[in-house]
Amino acid sequence: MPLSQGAQSSTREARRSPLTAAEAPRGSPKPRLPVEAALRLAHAADGHSAILPMAEEKGPTAPPGLKIVVVGPTQGGKTTVANYIASDEAVDFEYPFEYNATVGVRILECERNLGGPATPVEVWDVGGSTDYEGCWPAIMHDAHGVVLVYNPEQEGQVSESGAWYEYFVQNNDLPDEACVVFAFAPNAQRGTRQRVSPKIEHLNVVNISLDDGSLVKTQFERFLKAAKARKDSGGGGGEAKGAEYK
């Protein structure tokens, strides 16, 4: 992935264990560790953990519902957004009490009413460290959409967001309609227009703060409905075409 040297060095600091169910905000869904054959959770002797490829086994199978991947720079707010959009309860849109960098990926499961029977949704919260770049192709397998999260108040993240879009959307043959961008400035005044990379300004970029929980839920529901429509019309993960949600 063509991240800048500075961005790469900053992401390499994130090697702590992923957010556990006990650390997640109240009402958040329990994280499910990946069980796909293409990934394995390996525990190092020092107590750290890393998700490593398991090349000797077959690749992951297609999800029965929708698979949504949440990506973006380290400390951009991905886990905060992922916990909130995957929650089935009325919870506050807020940061966890303690920051814990996501190592590799966390998978959250929920169901959403998108017309017809409830649709199972998997939200894959991908860590921002490039240490696990080798796992990204397996993580993106059969994905129906990408949620890109970055902090527009961090200059490096504005420019870096374009590289995340190129890798996870363009390189995986997903249409632009299969990506929603949350420019997440936690303490900004509601309605503030944030800085956007020229590479993603043509996408649906939603400016949000911690006061915009309802907007996040509304945009995500529209995004899921469009993803389901593409899937139902024959556009599977990685090849979705057509439906727009803007």
Side-chain angles (χ1 to χ4, degrees), residues 153-167:
E153 296 179 337
Q154 302 294 326
E155 180 62 38
Q157 293 199 16
V158 174
S159 58
E160 192 178 331
S161 62
W164 288 92
Y165 159 71
E166 290 176 338
Y167 185 93

Side-chain angles (χ1 to χ4, degrees), residues 35-40 53-62 138 141:
V35 295
E36 279 68 16
L39 301 176
R40 176 176 58 186
M54 183 180 287
E56 69 271 22
E57 296 190 13
K58 296 180 180 179
T61 57
H141 184 76

Side-chain angles (χ1 to χ4, degrees), residues 34 42 59 75 85 90-91 101 149 176 235:
Q75 298 190 40
I85 60 178
V91 297
V149 183
D176 287 341

Side-chain angles (χ1 to χ4, degrees), residues 25 75-77 80 92-98 151 184-187 210:
Q75 298 190 40
T80 298
D92 292 331
F93 185 41
E94 59 186 5
Y95 276 137
F97 294 110
E98 179 182 354
N151 186 339
F184 185 17
N187 300 313
L210 289 173

